Amino acid sequence: MTTAPRSGGRTTEQSGKGRRKPADKTTGTPAGGGARGARHYPTAGATQGSAALKLAADQQRAPITSPRLRVAPPAPINAPRAPFIALVVAVVVAGVIGILLINTKTAENSFEIDTLQKQQAKLDSTQQDLENEIAANNSPGSLDAAARRLGLVKADNPAYIRLPDGKVFGVPKPGSGEVAVTAQDTTSATGR
């Protein structure tokens, strides 16, 4: 009994290191019989005609019922969903709370900055007023008036002292001008 080759394969009779077998001298066909690649079936005891359709006893069995094929449901996912959902909710809640805290702190800082800017503007105005007052009091006329109020008079010939060595230039003489009225009132009120 010879076997039929598989798709495009060779039978055991035909395998021979890829070489053809010599042809049969009487028929002119290869030694295996039939055309190359033809299927070979058993010929000994073969039944022909309608008897060929009858099955042998060993081939007569109960019909095999194949199970009905149906689509299998997807494999169940056993991953717990509750912890994942809880994690996502916790991340979202933490993010929202963080954003609210940042916004609150920003608003609080902006109010504090506004208050400090107003205070700085007020202090700048006060400083400018004081600088203007100092500049007005530093003028020569203001110094002369302030000295008269204190009872000071102008010296006719002033003397100068050199600070590094303490040497005096000129002869100091007391002033001979009139004392201001306000200075006289102050000295008489205090009894000096």
Side-chain angles (χ1 to χ4, degrees):
M1 175 189 234
T2 61
T3 58
R6 287 190 238 161
S7 173
R10 296 182 179 201
T11 62
T12 55
E13 295 173 356
Q14 292 176 343
S15 63
K17 296 183 182 177
R19 295 183 189 157
R20 280 189 173 180
K21 293 187 178 182
D24 192 6
K25 296 190 185 202
T26 57
T27 60
T29 61
R36 180 176 181 197
R39 295 182 184 251
H40 301 283
Y41 295 100
T43 55
T47 313
Q48 296 183 3
S50 63
L53 297 177
K54 292 183 182 178
L55 298 174
D58 60 340
Q59 294 176 346
Q60 292 179 355
R61 300 186 216 147
I64 300 174
T65 57
S66 61
R68 274 186 89 176
L69 297 178
R70 52 192 160 128
V71 177
I77 298 174
N78 294 332
R81 292 184 182 181
F84 177 72
I85 292 172
L87 176 68
V88 169
V89 168
V91 167
V92 169
V93 167
V96 169
I97 289 174
I99 289 171
L100 287 175
L101 288 175
I102 289 172
N103 286 343
T104 304
K105 192 66 175 172
T106 303
E108 183 180 312
N109 288 343
S110 68
F111 284 127
E112 187 174 342
I113 287 172
D114 186 45
T115 303
L116 291 174
Q117 284 176 343
K118 287 179 182 176
Q119 185 178 3
Q120 180 67 34
K122 188 187 294 183
L123 291 174
D124 286 343
S125 175
T126 305
Q127 180 183 4
Q128 188 65 38
D129 291 342
L130 291 174
E131 287 176 355
N132 289 340
E133 187 179 335
I134 289 172
N137 288 335
N138 281 341
S139 67
S142 296
L143 290 176
D144 187 30
R148 284 181 179 251
R149 276 194 303 272
L150 295 174
L152 299 176
V153 292
K154 282 188 180 182
D156 295 328
N157 293 324
Y160 299 101
I161 301 174
R162 187 169 59 191
L163 291 179
D165 58 359
K167 188 173 181 182
V168 178
F169 295 101
V171 179
K173 294 181 186 174
S176 60
E178 294 183 18
V179 180
V181 177
T182 55
Q184 289 174 356
D185 292 339
T186 328
T187 55
S188 62
T190 57
R192 291 186 192 173

